[in-house]
Amino acid sequence: QTAFLLTSFSIAELGDGFGMYIDMFLLAKGWGEKSVVISGIFRGVIDLLLKSIVGDVIDKTHHDRRVFLALAALVIGLSSLMVYFVDGADVSDKILVYVVRSVESVALAFLGPAFAAITLSAFGPELFDVMNVRREIVSHLGSIFSAVLSGAIAWLFYPSIEAVFILPITFASSAIFFSRFIPRGDPLMGRGFHLHTEQRDEQNCVVDTHKDEVE
């Protein structure tokens, strides 16, 4: 459970991708408000369109869902580094930002479904609600910590706020590290095929007693 909660803490701010600071950065680089809004629309529309598709992919995959979570965190973390390649507001800069934020949106769409499946697989339906509540509490704490830290860094280095964008990749690396220690549990339970937990380990995590079944 510790690894699960630490992953939740680390990944909390990645859901927003430090969008507010990216918008501020782009405005400071001479972008118009319209162009900044368009970059946010790209992100939101793609995330919305992919929700159902990504949920189906996560549900049907035979691969470890922790890998999906780790890859999504990595992509989101790396996407924030694009600010170091944006020099102004010309066409090439806008194409770079729109493409990167679109790719980031794809990764964002995987976070929720992957975490939900991991939670159900690792802790079972009996503890699903409890662990979700704990995850939300820890996520809020992570968001508060991230907001304070990023605000402090932005204030310290103002008017140059590029240093803030090191934080997403730092949090992503932390999430990737801790996600490796989340028990895989019963993957079929994560798909809703097993409704009752037959065995748990000393940390109250699900032990897969159906390893011979095809996912």
Side-chain angles (χ1 to χ4, degrees), residues 21-33:
Y21 286 101
I22 290 177
D23 292 345
M24 291 170 55
F25 173 81
L26 295 177
L27 289 171
K29 284 292 183 178
W31 283 50
E33 292 183 5

Side-chain angles (χ1 to χ4, degrees), residues 26-55:
L26 295 177
L27 289 171
K29 284 292 183 178
W31 283 50
E33 292 183 5
K34 182 179 178 180
S35 297
V36 173
V37 170
I38 289 175
S39 73
I41 290 175
F42 266 104
R43 196 163 162 257
V45 170
I46 292 174
D47 183 39
L48 182 63
L49 292 175
L50 288 179
K51 285 292 186 184
S52 58
I53 299 174
V54 168

Side-chain angles (χ1 to χ4, degrees), residues 11 14 58 65-79 103-112 114 172 175-176:
I11 216 166
L14 295 182
I58 292 295
R65 294 171 181 90
R66 295 172 299 181
V67 174
F68 283 90
L69 184 69
L71 287 175
L74 179 62
V75 170
I76 296 169
L78 289 175
S79 70
V103 172
E104 179 192 26
S105 299
V106 176
L108 280 167
F110 276 90
L111 284 183
I176 292 169

Side-chain angles (χ1 to χ4, degrees), residues 2-3 15 26 38 66 83 138-139 163 170-171 179 194 196:
T2 301
L26 295 177
I38 289 175
R66 295 172 299 181
V83 298
V138 171
S139 293
T170 303
F171 285 120
S179 66
H194 299 150
H196 303 286

Side-chain angles (χ1 to χ4, degrees), residues 117-139:
I118 290 169
T119 306
L120 190 56
S121 298
F123 302 103
E126 299 89 348
L127 295 180
F128 182 74
D129 290 339
V130 173
M131 295 309 299
N132 265 331
V133 170
R134 292 178 181 177
R135 178 165 72 91
E136 286 298 322
I137 293 173
V138 171
S139 293

Side-chain angles (χ1 to χ4, degrees), residues 16-26 29 31 36 39-40 43 74-88 92-105 162 165-166 168-169:
D16 293 325
F18 281 68
M20 177 185 69
Y21 286 101
I22 290 177
D23 292 345
M24 291 170 55
F25 173 81
L26 295 177
K29 284 292 183 178
W31 283 50
V36 173
S39 73
R43 196 163 162 257
L74 179 62
V75 170
I76 296 169
L78 289 175
S79 70
S80 67
L81 300 181
M82 72 175 175
V83 298
Y84 293 101
F85 301 94
V86 176
D87 295 322
S92 60
D93 289 316
K94 291 181 178 180
I95 290 175
L96 172 64
V97 172
Y98 293 158
V99 170
V100 171
R101 297 201 86 174
S102 297
V103 172
E104 179 192 26
S105 299
E162 285 89 341
F165 300 108
I166 296 297
I169 190 62

